[in-house]
Amino acid sequence: MLDDASSPTPQAVTVAASTAAHRLQPLLHDLVSTVRAPTVALSGGDGQIRPAGVQGVFHADSRALSQATLTIDGREPEAVGHAPQGPGATRFVTLARWLGDPVPDPTVRIERFRQVTPGGMEERVEIVSSASVPVAAVVSLELGCDFAPIEVVKSGGDTVEAAAERTAPGEISWTSGGVRVVVTGTGARAEFAEYARTGFLRWPVELAPRGRVTLSWRVEVRDPQAVVTAPDRPAEWAEGEGAPRVVAADHRLSRLFEQSMDDLRSLRLAETATPGDTFLGAGVPWFLTLFGRDSIWAARMLLPLGTELAMGTLRTLARRQGTRIDPGSGEAPGKIMHELRRHEFAVEGNGLHLPAAYYGTIDATPLWISLLHDAWRWGAPATEIAALLPHLEAALGWLGGHADPDGDGFIEYVDTSGKGLANQGWKDSGDALRFHDGRQAQPPIALVEVQGYAHQAARQGADLLEAFGRPGAARWREHASALAERFRARFWVDGPRGRFPALALDRDKRPVDALTSNIGHLLGTGLLTEAEEAGIADLLVSPEMAGGFGLRTMSADAGGFSPLSYHCGSIWAHDTAIVVAGLARAGFATHAATLAEGLLVAGETFGYRLPELFGGDDRSALGRPVPYPAACRPQAWSAAAAVTVVHAALGLYPDVPEGRMLLRPLAGAPLGAVSAHGLRVAGTEVSASVDREGEAVVTGLPGGISTERARTSRP
């Protein structure tokens, strides 16, 4: 019997079935995001929102528009370029080369100016002709809506278009479950496809020679069920006069700071019930909501710009601090939550089912304590700090109790529900924790950086208790001291370049011996001696760790290394920045500058909007970082990384309660001369600069604060 070449082989059928069952997360790296939280538009570089992947207008974890495709006489314009135009705004430039004069140069140009606002989007379409003849055409905008939850989109799940409704002239709407989406086109005619569930706005246009016409349309989302909203007050680092600005000899740093500030303004959120307390949504599009760890780290990194964001973040999380034991959500008394959604976050195909309020994080609680402490040092009002002290005591209680379920003296986690996150540190992907030979570690897991966070939190919590006349300071200092002794006895391992702390202890209390970026988070926590910090600093800038554009999450010589893995070889901007900050404060100027320079290259590559992460390929591979295709962009702590690099260069470390400002700029000014204006200490605007010789100056400090200069280098 002859083979039928047109029929698939059994192997091909198996592969096809497997592919259909294995849904793929949509890629993001080539999309353009325009955001004003809690609303974001994701489109192609031509401005088109196509019914594919993660493109669309999203609002508070739900897709409001799944399509907004512009055509002229039934043809899509050709893309030329696009650029951000400030917070929540993007301009797209396209061409209609089939219109106008029959010459090589294009004579009809279309610009789409997109402005996203909380709960909506407006777009102005300008058609400009430089042709010598009149131009007549019909402009159409095809629109669709599927109300797809963000977790369905993230998992590549199937969605169904909702039926468009006829409402008013020039208006199309959709309704589902109390959410209503309304699109209005000024001067447009609304039409509806008989064969589909989409609607159209149409404008007939006529342009005189060298004429122009402007069209406009808008979408409004009415969503009473949203759990997050826009804050009801501007940021203390809002736009305009007095806004933070940076002037640097290296213009990449200035431009990265400027774009990052625009992104940070766009990511500001509040809970619907308390719009006065601001926090940062973690990232676009998957995490545009409250995330304990991410929101805390971003607020902590932005303290040089003021304490208002920090206090809003602290209060928001304190209101949701755990009060009971709930294995399903991970809640425990005193614990700080991980993430907040409008409903259960169930990712199709991987068994992940997170309740709307989920507490599966091991590090948010000690980081909350450290943010409270650092905000106090930067001059947050004492009355606001005092109001949170009961929550501090509850968080310390968790640290000394439920955080250590087996009583071995280390903080550890395990997902007992079977439906939550398998890994609950910042490297929370399922395969993030690996031994040097590539084997995966099994839970319960005691992460290395979390022991550092816990040590620092215990000491800082003690400082707060003592300063505000509350009992318990001695207990928590003893707790920190005992943890440091246990850590030194159990975590350190030998490697080709010397000793270093292991990534974690696994369920059998074996050190997970891969060299990773996690150990950089120990700098400044007090868990290390000066000699240990020096050894770690050298390891962090070794070719295996710093051979890319920033700090790799895992050493390139580890068995589990992959440059495009989520946590096993990629580079995260915030991770690199946290380590830069630790190195800078410890006096390792050259080390800090090596990693910071990688971020500046990455910033330039990605249009000064640093993504969540990017590839950890060696610099020699392409000469520029490779995008991680599903990375969020913008992302709060990636944008905040620019502020951290500026802060590290300047070296301002205030202790407002003690009336001191320590100055420790990077020795030798390895990032060049830098000046910053619009910084804030105790609510007062200050300016700081470091010249090309490394001399630092700060002006505008509040009365009663004296400056002292620290030694700027370490042996």
Side-chain angles (χ1 to χ4, degrees):
M1 181 177 179
L2 298 175
D3 288 336
D4 182 356
S6 64
S7 300
T9 64
Q11 292 87 350
V13 171
T14 301
V15 170
S18 174
T19 302
H22 179 53
R23 300 188 182 278
L24 300 176
Q25 180 174 323
L27 303 186
L28 291 168
H29 66 286
D30 58 350
L31 298 185
V32 178
S33 61
T34 310
V35 57
R36 199 77 180 200
T39 307
V40 58
L42 287 160
S43 72
D46 54 1
Q48 302 283 46
I49 297 174
R50 296 180 173 85
V54 69
Q55 296 192 38
V57 176
F58 291 82
H59 177 78
D61 274 354
S62 179
R63 183 154 57 189
L65 280 184
S66 54
Q67 183 175 6
T69 308
L70 186 78
T71 60
I72 299 180
D73 288 342
R75 299 174 65 174
E76 291 192 30
E78 298 169 295
V80 175
H82 61 85
Q85 301 285 290
T90 307
R91 185 184 294 271
F92 302 88
V93 180
T94 58
L95 304 174
R97 291 190 297 157
W98 61 91
L99 296 177
D101 294 337
V103 295
D105 290 337
T107 56
V108 178
R109 166 179 170 137
I110 302 97
E111 295 196 12
R112 296 172 74 167
F113 179 79
R114 177 171 295 159
Q115 180 72 59
V116 173
T117 55
M121 183 181 82
E122 299 178 0
E123 194 165 275
R124 187 175 72 248
V125 182
E126 295 184 350
I127 305 174
V128 182
S129 173
S130 60
S132 60
V133 298
V135 172
V138 175
V139 178
S140 298
L141 185 69
E142 185 172 4
L143 298 156
C145 171
D146 61 6
F147 293 106
I150 190 68
E151 66 273 19
V152 173
V153 178
K154 188 177 192 293
S155 62
D158 296 327
T159 64
V160 178
E161 293 291 320
E165 304 169 8
R166 299 177 183 270
T167 47
E171 187 174 282
I172 302 170
S173 65
W174 299 262
T175 305
S176 176
V179 181
R180 185 169 176 80
V181 177
V182 180
V183 175
T184 306
T186 303
R189 182 177 71 253
E191 298 180 0
F192 299 85
E194 295 181 2
Y195 56 87
R197 302 165 78 83
T198 56
F200 296 85
L201 295 177
R202 300 197 195 279
W203 295 266
V205 297
E206 294 185 1
L207 286 79
R210 306 194 67 81
R212 70 171 57 216
V213 66
T214 300
L215 313 175
S216 63
W217 67 279
R218 67 182 185 277
V219 57
E220 178 187 359
V221 185
R222 302 164 189 170
D223 183 8
Q225 301 171 359
V227 296
V228 291
T229 187
D232 65 0
R233 64 182 66 183
E236 56 189 327
W237 25 269
E239 303 167 80
E241 188 175 351
R245 56 189 177 90
V246 167
V247 178
D250 189 332
H251 297 300
R252 296 175 302 176
L253 182 55
S254 304
R255 294 190 65 183
L256 180 61
F257 183 89
E258 182 179 6
Q259 180 60 50
S260 295
M261 290 306 304
D262 281 347
D263 290 336
L264 292 164
R265 294 181 184 108
S266 295
L267 291 170
R268 296 172 67 247
L269 279 171
E271 282 197 90
T272 305
T274 52
D277 282 335
T278 304
F279 57 86
L280 291 180
V284 172
W286 315 128
F287 312 121
L288 196 54
T289 185
L290 174 65
F291 267 73
R293 175 194 312 117
D294 301 52
S295 298
I296 289 169
W297 262 123
R300 198 175 178 192
M301 296 162 81
L302 295 178
L303 280 169
L305 307 184
T307 61
E308 184 180 287
L309 176 70
M311 297 311 298
T313 304
L314 288 162
R315 285 191 292 265
T316 300
L317 290 167
R319 282 191 292 270
R320 291 185 174 272
Q321 190 172 29
T323 59
R324 62 194 179 102
I325 298 292
D326 181 1
S329 69
E331 183 179 355
K335 193 176 186 182
I336 298 299
M337 73 180 302
H338 177 55
E339 67 181 279
L340 178 67
R341 300 285 185 174
R342 66 191 298 148
H343 49 57
E344 181 187 61
F345 190 85
V347 178
E348 188 175 338
N350 70 357
L352 191 67
H353 292 269
L354 308 183
Y358 180 57
Y359 288 78
T361 169
I362 195 64
D363 51 11
T365 308
L367 290 173
W368 186 95
I369 296 171
S370 290
L371 177 60
L372 182 67
H373 170 273
D374 292 355
W376 173 57
R377 295 292 191 195
W378 276 90
T383 54
E384 295 186 23
I385 299 293
L388 291 170
L389 292 180
H391 297 281
L392 166 67
E393 290 168 330
L396 287 168
W398 176 85
L399 204 64
H402 294 291
D404 179 16
D406 65 2
D408 69 344
F410 295 113
I411 293 182
E412 58 215 342
Y413 64 84
V414 62
D415 172 42
T416 58
S417 73
K419 297 180 179 180
L421 293 171
N423 287 316
Q424 298 184 358
W426 84 260
K427 293 180 179 178
D428 57 3
S429 55
D431 63 349
L433 304 182
R434 294 176 177 269
F435 289 85
H436 176 75
D437 62 9
R439 289 175 298 123
Q440 291 191 37
Q442 298 301 312
I445 297 291
L447 285 170
V448 61
E449 78 274 18
V450 176
Q451 313 314 311
Y453 298 160
H455 180 269
Q456 185 176 49
R459 295 175 62 185
Q460 292 176 336
D463 290 345
L464 283 164
L465 293 173
E466 187 173 75
F468 284 84
R470 298 176 84 102
R475 172 196 171 189
W476 292 109
R477 291 195 178 103
E478 291 171 4
H479 179 92
S481 178
L483 174 58
E485 291 181 12
R486 288 190 297 271
F487 180 85
R488 191 160 286 109
R490 299 296 302 275
F491 265 81
W492 285 79
V493 297
D494 292 314
R497 293 181 178 270
R499 288 177 60 77
F500 64 91
L503 167 60
L505 300 182
D506 73 355
R507 66 183 176 191
D508 299 317
K509 308 303 178 184
R510 295 174 301 180
V512 182
D513 59 348
L515 175 60
T516 64
S517 64
N518 301 56
I519 63 174
H521 292 227
L522 299 177
L523 297 168
T525 64
L527 197 57
L528 305 174
T529 66
E530 286 197 4
E532 289 167 347
E533 285 192 332
I536 285 177
D538 289 341
L539 283 172
L540 292 171
V541 296
S542 65
E544 294 82 6
M545 292 298 294
F549 297 92
L551 180 65
R552 290 181 175 124
T553 45
M554 178 176 284
S555 170
D557 67 358
F561 173 80
S562 172
L564 280 180
S565 71
Y566 200 52
H567 288 126
C568 297
S570 58
I571 294 171
W572 288 62
H574 89 283
D575 184 36
T576 301
I578 288 169
V579 175
V580 166
L583 290 167
R585 185 156 191 171
F588 297 102
T590 303
H591 299 67
T594 296
L595 297 180
E597 197 275 335
L599 287 185
L600 295 180
V601 175
E604 186 176 32
T605 298
F606 294 111
Y608 298 101
R609 174 178 274 178
L610 282 170
E612 177 186 17
L613 70 157
F614 46 89
D617 302 87
D618 198 83
R619 288 191 174 214
S620 62
L622 293 174
R624 56 189 293 162
V626 174
Y628 181 86
C632 290
R633 186 165 173 256
Q635 198 200 35
W637 58 13
S638 292
V643 179
T644 295
V645 172
V646 170
H647 180 221
L650 298 172
L652 273 63
Y653 304 104
D655 186 347
V656 172
E658 293 295 322
R660 295 195 302 264
M661 169 69 79
L662 178 68
L663 297 182
R664 177 177 271 166
L666 290 181
L671 298 179
V674 179
S675 64
H677 308 276
L679 307 179
R680 288 187 175 274
V681 176
T684 299
E685 187 175 320
V686 303
S687 297
S689 63
V690 58
D691 63 22
R692 59 186 180 183
E693 279 76 42
E695 284 297 315
V697 176
V698 58
T699 59
L701 285 173
I705 296 182
S706 61
T707 60
E708 58 182 83
R709 299 179 185 275
R711 58 193 179 100
T712 56
S713 61
R714 289 275 294 270

